[in-house]
Amino acid sequence: MIKVGIIGASGYAGAELYRLLLGHKDVNIIAISSQSYEGKMISDLYPSFYGRFDMMLTNDQEVLENAEMIFASLPHGLSEKYAKVCDEKGKKFIDLGADFRLDHEKDYQQWYLHDYQYPDLHEKQVYGLSEVNREQIKKATIIGNPGCYPTSITLGLYPLLKHHIQKDEKIIIDSKSGTTGAGKSLTEDTHFPKCNESFHPYKIASHRHTPEIEQELSKMAHQNIEVVFTPHLLPVNRGIISTIYVSLKDSVSWEAVYDIYQKTYQDEYFVRVLPTGKVADLKFVQYSNFCDISLHYDARYHQLIIVSTIDNMVKGAAGQAIQNMNLMYDLDEKEGLMMIPASF
């Protein structure tokens, strides 16, 4: 059994981690911590766990001492010190925050306004997009779990960029997320009277996921890729839907594009390329680790429109983190993640 600990377990992503890990046959949750709620039972925060997971929130040190696999679900700037301890003790570390996602410190400084505390540590990091970086993840000890928006976008674009069938280097992306994507702390935008029965863009041309998206898309394409990225806030609890607009090369047919997507993902359990004519809908990925992709062709402009949907708390956070853990321990990649989305 893998002895698992969770630092920052009182937030939404932390709660998703132990909700999913409780169904994992190879995991024993040893300790969970929270600086804000130390000493409280987790069922005091999330009553759905009452009588089934009545574990007390402890301090970070207890997690680091007793667990061998550490998940950190923390705001940016807080995970490096825990990764350092894990590295020194030979423990595996998966960061659900932003500290190990970017390849270059200058990008982290620009977008997150922080320096690296331990620059050498970042030479060991692997970007945890499971379907794309599987072999590197298997050998890694420090994983930067992808952001939720980037997961939906990079999986949606991977086959296209891998085969170099896009015409331009600039891609337009509209993404929409449920309110859990903003975290548990209340903000003006997520205050119920503001977000209920509303739908609005935010952080236009300035969202912190932008450099992560461009970084990973550029690696997939082996050339510089720029994005115009606009996120929106949906008045729902969970789910992300990304609509992506790409001009195709003149020599590429719509039929060839669909065939490329089907072949790229035919052996990927968690990525479902929908039949032509179907439209991906966030309703049918909620509470699951699936990414549903639908492809649409605008014949007037020879343009591909990609719709990619995930649950931001599962495939966009805790589920992908567990998928990465399974890879790191050479387990069945699907273990603990076999839930099927509800249909209504």
PDB file of all heavy atoms in Angstrom, residues 127-149:
ATOM      1  N   TYR A 127       6.346  18.000 -16.145  1.00  0.00           N
ATOM      2  CA  TYR A 127       4.989  18.510 -16.333  1.00  0.00           C
ATOM      3  C   TYR A 127       4.031  17.327 -16.469  1.00  0.00           C
ATOM      4  O   TYR A 127       4.169  16.494 -17.374  1.00  0.00           O
ATOM      5  CB  TYR A 127       4.938  19.403 -17.573  1.00  0.00           C
ATOM      6  CG  TYR A 127       3.642  20.143 -17.767  1.00  0.00           C
ATOM      7  CD1 TYR A 127       3.323  21.237 -16.966  1.00  0.00           C
ATOM      8  CD2 TYR A 127       2.728  19.752 -18.746  1.00  0.00           C
ATOM      9  CE1 TYR A 127       2.133  21.931 -17.140  1.00  0.00           C
ATOM     10  CE2 TYR A 127       1.542  20.440 -18.930  1.00  0.00           C
ATOM     11  CZ  TYR A 127       1.245  21.527 -18.122  1.00  0.00           C
ATOM     12  OH  TYR A 127       0.063  22.209 -18.295  1.00  0.00           O
ATOM     13  N   GLY A 128       3.052  17.255 -15.574  1.00  0.00           N
ATOM     14  CA  GLY A 128       2.228  16.068 -15.436  1.00  0.00           C
ATOM     15  C   GLY A 128       1.011  15.974 -16.325  1.00  0.00           C
ATOM     16  O   GLY A 128      -0.079  15.627 -15.838  1.00  0.00           O
ATOM     17  N   LEU A 129       1.163  16.233 -17.621  1.00  0.00           N
ATOM     18  CA  LEU A 129       0.070  15.975 -18.557  1.00  0.00           C
ATOM     19  C   LEU A 129       0.168  14.499 -18.950  1.00  0.00           C
ATOM     20  O   LEU A 129       0.968  14.114 -19.802  1.00  0.00           O
ATOM     21  CB  LEU A 129       0.175  16.889 -19.776  1.00  0.00           C
ATOM     22  CG  LEU A 129      -1.028  16.871 -20.731  1.00  0.00           C
ATOM     23  CD1 LEU A 129      -2.304  17.335 -20.033  1.00  0.00           C
ATOM     24  CD2 LEU A 129      -0.766  17.742 -21.955  1.00  0.00           C
ATOM     25  N   SER A 130      -0.641  13.685 -18.328  1.00  0.00           N
ATOM     26  CA  SER A 130      -0.438  12.238 -18.322  1.00  0.00           C
ATOM     27  C   SER A 130      -0.366  11.633 -19.710  1.00  0.00           C
ATOM     28  O   SER A 130       0.517  10.806 -20.001  1.00  0.00           O
ATOM     29  CB  SER A 130      -1.563  11.565 -17.524  1.00  0.00           C
ATOM     30  OG  SER A 130      -1.719  12.151 -16.257  1.00  0.00           O
ATOM     31  N   GLU A 131      -1.281  11.995 -20.594  1.00  0.00           N
ATOM     32  CA  GLU A 131      -1.356  11.379 -21.917  1.00  0.00           C
ATOM     33  C   GLU A 131      -0.189  11.770 -22.821  1.00  0.00           C
ATOM     34  O   GLU A 131       0.130  11.040 -23.766  1.00  0.00           O
ATOM     35  CB  GLU A 131      -2.678  11.754 -22.597  1.00  0.00           C
ATOM     36  CG  GLU A 131      -3.906  11.038 -22.076  1.00  0.00           C
ATOM     37  CD  GLU A 131      -4.396  11.545 -20.737  1.00  0.00           C
ATOM     38  OE1 GLU A 131      -3.957  12.642 -20.312  1.00  0.00           O
ATOM     39  OE2 GLU A 131      -5.223  10.869 -20.096  1.00  0.00           O
ATOM     40  N   VAL A 132       0.444  12.874 -22.543  1.00  0.00           N
ATOM     41  CA  VAL A 132       1.520  13.376 -23.399  1.00  0.00           C
ATOM     42  C   VAL A 132       2.900  13.046 -22.828  1.00  0.00           C
ATOM     43  O   VAL A 132       3.817  12.681 -23.569  1.00  0.00           O
ATOM     44  CB  VAL A 132       1.374  14.898 -23.609  1.00  0.00           C
ATOM     45  CG1 VAL A 132       2.540  15.456 -24.424  1.00  0.00           C
ATOM     46  CG2 VAL A 132       0.049  15.208 -24.304  1.00  0.00           C
ATOM     47  N   ASN A 133       3.052  13.139 -21.518  1.00  0.00           N
ATOM     48  CA  ASN A 133       4.373  12.986 -20.891  1.00  0.00           C
ATOM     49  C   ASN A 133       4.480  11.709 -20.057  1.00  0.00           C
ATOM     50  O   ASN A 133       5.212  11.654 -19.065  1.00  0.00           O
ATOM     51  CB  ASN A 133       4.679  14.211 -20.013  1.00  0.00           C
ATOM     52  CG  ASN A 133       4.763  15.488 -20.821  1.00  0.00           C
ATOM     53  OD1 ASN A 133       5.169  15.463 -21.978  1.00  0.00           O
ATOM     54  ND2 ASN A 133       4.377  16.598 -20.227  1.00  0.00           N
ATOM     55  N   ARG A 134       3.779  10.696 -20.464  1.00  0.00           N
ATOM     56  CA  ARG A 134       3.672   9.460 -19.684  1.00  0.00           C
ATOM     57  C   ARG A 134       5.039   8.868 -19.297  1.00  0.00           C
ATOM     58  O   ARG A 134       5.272   8.524 -18.135  1.00  0.00           O
ATOM     59  CB  ARG A 134       2.865   8.432 -20.475  1.00  0.00           C
ATOM     60  CG  ARG A 134       2.634   7.109 -19.753  1.00  0.00           C
ATOM     61  CD  ARG A 134       1.694   6.208 -20.536  1.00  0.00           C
ATOM     62  NE  ARG A 134       0.316   6.638 -20.400  1.00  0.00           N
ATOM     63  CZ  ARG A 134      -0.409   7.146 -21.402  1.00  0.00           C
ATOM     64  NH1 ARG A 134       0.131   7.312 -22.598  1.00  0.00           N
ATOM     65  NH2 ARG A 134      -1.667   7.507 -21.200  1.00  0.00           N
ATOM     66  N   GLU A 135       5.947   8.745 -20.231  1.00  0.00           N
ATOM     67  CA  GLU A 135       7.221   8.084 -19.943  1.00  0.00           C
ATOM     68  C   GLU A 135       8.085   8.886 -18.976  1.00  0.00           C
ATOM     69  O   GLU A 135       8.759   8.316 -18.111  1.00  0.00           O
ATOM     70  CB  GLU A 135       7.974   7.809 -21.247  1.00  0.00           C
ATOM     71  CG  GLU A 135       7.263   6.837 -22.173  1.00  0.00           C
ATOM     72  CD  GLU A 135       6.870   5.539 -21.478  1.00  0.00           C
ATOM     73  OE1 GLU A 135       7.722   4.960 -20.769  1.00  0.00           O
ATOM     74  OE2 GLU A 135       5.706   5.102 -21.632  1.00  0.00           O
ATOM     75  N   GLN A 136       8.067  10.213 -19.119  1.00  0.00           N
ATOM     76  CA  GLN A 136       8.824  11.055 -18.177  1.00  0.00           C
ATOM     77  C   GLN A 136       8.219  11.004 -16.781  1.00  0.00           C
ATOM     78  O   GLN A 136       8.942  11.004 -15.783  1.00  0.00           O
ATOM     79  CB  GLN A 136       8.857  12.509 -18.666  1.00  0.00           C
ATOM     80  CG  GLN A 136       9.516  12.704 -20.027  1.00  0.00           C
ATOM     81  CD  GLN A 136       8.490  12.776 -21.142  1.00  0.00           C
ATOM     82  OE1 GLN A 136       7.716  11.850 -21.363  1.00  0.00           O
ATOM     83  NE2 GLN A 136       8.479  13.902 -21.856  1.00  0.00           N
ATOM     84  N   ILE A 137       6.888  10.956 -16.712  1.00  0.00           N
ATOM     85  CA  ILE A 137       6.199  10.911 -15.417  1.00  0.00           C
ATOM     86  C   ILE A 137       6.558   9.638 -14.657  1.00  0.00           C
ATOM     87  O   ILE A 137       6.752   9.648 -13.439  1.00  0.00           O
ATOM     88  CB  ILE A 137       4.675  11.021 -15.630  1.00  0.00           C
ATOM     89  CG1 ILE A 137       4.313  12.417 -16.140  1.00  0.00           C
ATOM     90  CG2 ILE A 137       3.910  10.720 -14.336  1.00  0.00           C
ATOM     91  CD1 ILE A 137       2.904  12.539 -16.706  1.00  0.00           C
ATOM     92  N   LYS A 138       6.669   8.533 -15.371  1.00  0.00           N
ATOM     93  CA  LYS A 138       6.990   7.256 -14.732  1.00  0.00           C
ATOM     94  C   LYS A 138       8.320   7.316 -13.971  1.00  0.00           C
ATOM     95  O   LYS A 138       8.489   6.635 -12.957  1.00  0.00           O
ATOM     96  CB  LYS A 138       7.061   6.152 -15.787  1.00  0.00           C
ATOM     97  CG  LYS A 138       5.710   5.734 -16.354  1.00  0.00           C
ATOM     98  CD  LYS A 138       5.890   4.655 -17.416  1.00  0.00           C
ATOM     99  CE  LYS A 138       4.557   4.220 -18.001  1.00  0.00           C
ATOM    100  NZ  LYS A 138       4.729   3.168 -19.038  1.00  0.00           N
ATOM    101  N   LYS A 139       9.255   8.123 -14.441  1.00  0.00           N
ATOM    102  CA  LYS A 139      10.580   8.191 -13.845  1.00  0.00           C
ATOM    103  C   LYS A 139      10.732   9.369 -12.874  1.00  0.00           C
ATOM    104  O   LYS A 139      11.786   9.516 -12.243  1.00  0.00           O
ATOM    105  CB  LYS A 139      11.629   8.326 -14.949  1.00  0.00           C
ATOM    106  CG  LYS A 139      11.600   7.191 -15.964  1.00  0.00           C
ATOM    107  CD  LYS A 139      12.525   7.496 -17.139  1.00  0.00           C
ATOM    108  CE  LYS A 139      12.414   6.451 -18.233  1.00  0.00           C
ATOM    109  NZ  LYS A 139      13.242   6.794 -19.423  1.00  0.00           N
ATOM    110  N   ALA A 140       9.717  10.202 -12.762  1.00  0.00           N
ATOM    111  CA  ALA A 140       9.836  11.465 -12.021  1.00  0.00           C
ATOM    112  C   ALA A 140       9.645  11.277 -10.515  1.00  0.00           C
ATOM    113  O   ALA A 140       9.009  10.328 -10.060  1.00  0.00           O
ATOM    114  CB  ALA A 140       8.813  12.460 -12.538  1.00  0.00           C
ATOM    115  N   THR A 141      10.210  12.224  -9.773  1.00  0.00           N
ATOM    116  CA  THR A 141       9.959  12.298  -8.331  1.00  0.00           C
ATOM    117  C   THR A 141       9.234  13.582  -7.960  1.00  0.00           C
ATOM    118  O   THR A 141       8.638  13.669  -6.883  1.00  0.00           O
ATOM    119  CB  THR A 141      11.272  12.221  -7.539  1.00  0.00           C
ATOM    120  OG1 THR A 141      12.160  13.261  -7.994  1.00  0.00           O
ATOM    121  CG2 THR A 141      11.933  10.863  -7.728  1.00  0.00           C
ATOM    122  N   ILE A 142       9.267  14.591  -8.844  1.00  0.00           N
ATOM    123  CA  ILE A 142       8.556  15.851  -8.623  1.00  0.00           C
ATOM    124  C   ILE A 142       7.700  16.145  -9.844  1.00  0.00           C
ATOM    125  O   ILE A 142       8.217  16.269 -10.961  1.00  0.00           O
ATOM    126  CB  ILE A 142       9.523  17.027  -8.373  1.00  0.00           C
ATOM    127  CG1 ILE A 142      10.363  16.784  -7.124  1.00  0.00           C
ATOM    128  CG2 ILE A 142       8.740  18.342  -8.246  1.00  0.00           C
ATOM    129  CD1 ILE A 142      11.431  17.845  -6.890  1.00  0.00           C
ATOM    130  N   ILE A 143       6.401  16.239  -9.637  1.00  0.00           N
ATOM    131  CA  ILE A 143       5.462  16.491 -10.720  1.00  0.00           C
ATOM    132  C   ILE A 143       4.780  17.840 -10.523  1.00  0.00           C
ATOM    133  O   ILE A 143       4.281  18.135  -9.434  1.00  0.00           O
ATOM    134  CB  ILE A 143       4.370  15.390 -10.781  1.00  0.00           C
ATOM    135  CG1 ILE A 143       4.978  14.036 -11.095  1.00  0.00           C
ATOM    136  CG2 ILE A 143       3.281  15.757 -11.799  1.00  0.00           C
ATOM    137  CD1 ILE A 143       5.489  13.881 -12.489  1.00  0.00           C
ATOM    138  N   GLY A 144       4.777  18.641 -11.578  1.00  0.00           N
ATOM    139  CA  GLY A 144       3.953  19.841 -11.600  1.00  0.00           C
ATOM    140  C   GLY A 144       2.640  19.491 -12.276  1.00  0.00           C
ATOM    141  O   GLY A 144       2.592  19.329 -13.500  1.00  0.00           O
ATOM    142  N   ASN A 145       1.589  19.313 -11.492  1.00  0.00           N
ATOM    143  CA  ASN A 145       0.293  18.948 -12.061  1.00  0.00           C
ATOM    144  C   ASN A 145      -0.239  20.121 -12.889  1.00  0.00           C
ATOM    145  O   ASN A 145      -0.226  21.258 -12.430  1.00  0.00           O
ATOM    146  CB  ASN A 145      -0.688  18.618 -10.935  1.00  0.00           C
ATOM    147  CG  ASN A 145      -1.662  17.527 -11.300  1.00  0.00           C
ATOM    148  OD1 ASN A 145      -1.262  16.438 -11.690  1.00  0.00           O
ATOM    149  ND2 ASN A 145      -2.945  17.809 -11.185  1.00  0.00           N
ATOM    150  N   PRO A 146      -0.688  19.869 -14.121  1.00  0.00           N
ATOM    151  CA  PRO A 146      -1.132  20.981 -14.978  1.00  0.00           C
ATOM    152  C   PRO A 146      -2.311  21.749 -14.402  1.00  0.00           C
ATOM    153  O   PRO A 146      -3.108  21.218 -13.622  1.00  0.00           O
ATOM    154  CB  PRO A 146      -1.542  20.268 -16.280  1.00  0.00           C
ATOM    155  CG  PRO A 146      -0.761  18.999 -16.274  1.00  0.00           C
ATOM    156  CD  PRO A 146      -0.694  18.594 -14.839  1.00  0.00           C
ATOM    157  N   GLY A 147      -2.435  22.995 -14.816  1.00  0.00           N
ATOM    158  CA  GLY A 147      -3.607  23.782 -14.472  1.00  0.00           C
ATOM    159  C   GLY A 147      -4.840  23.236 -15.172  1.00  0.00           C
ATOM    160  O   GLY A 147      -4.748  22.478 -16.146  1.00  0.00           O
ATOM    161  N   CYS A 148      -6.011  23.630 -14.685  1.00  0.00           N
ATOM    162  CA  CYS A 148      -7.253  23.091 -15.238  1.00  0.00           C
ATOM    163  C   CYS A 148      -7.518  23.604 -16.655  1.00  0.00           C
ATOM    164  O   CYS A 148      -7.802  22.807 -17.570  1.00  0.00           O
ATOM    165  CB  CYS A 148      -8.424  23.405 -14.319  1.00  0.00           C
ATOM    166  SG  CYS A 148      -8.533  25.133 -13.771  1.00  0.00           S
ATOM    167  N   TYR A 149      -7.405  24.906 -16.869  1.00  0.00           N
ATOM    168  CA  TYR A 149      -7.567  25.428 -18.232  1.00  0.00           C
ATOM    169  C   TYR A 149      -6.546  24.810 -19.184  1.00  0.00           C
ATOM    170  O   TYR A 149      -6.905  24.334 -20.272  1.00  0.00           O
ATOM    171  CB  TYR A 149      -7.423  26.950 -18.256  1.00  0.00           C
ATOM    172  CG  TYR A 149      -8.631  27.724 -17.780  1.00  0.00           C
ATOM    173  CD1 TYR A 149      -8.490  28.720 -16.800  1.00  0.00           C
ATOM    174  CD2 TYR A 149      -9.894  27.521 -18.313  1.00  0.00           C
ATOM    175  CE1 TYR A 149      -9.579  29.456 -16.363  1.00  0.00           C
ATOM    176  CE2 TYR A 149     -10.989  28.253 -17.889  1.00  0.00           C
ATOM    177  CZ  TYR A 149     -10.834  29.227 -16.909  1.00  0.00           C
ATOM    178  OH  TYR A 149     -11.910  29.955 -16.483  1.00  0.00           O
TER     179      TYR A 149
END
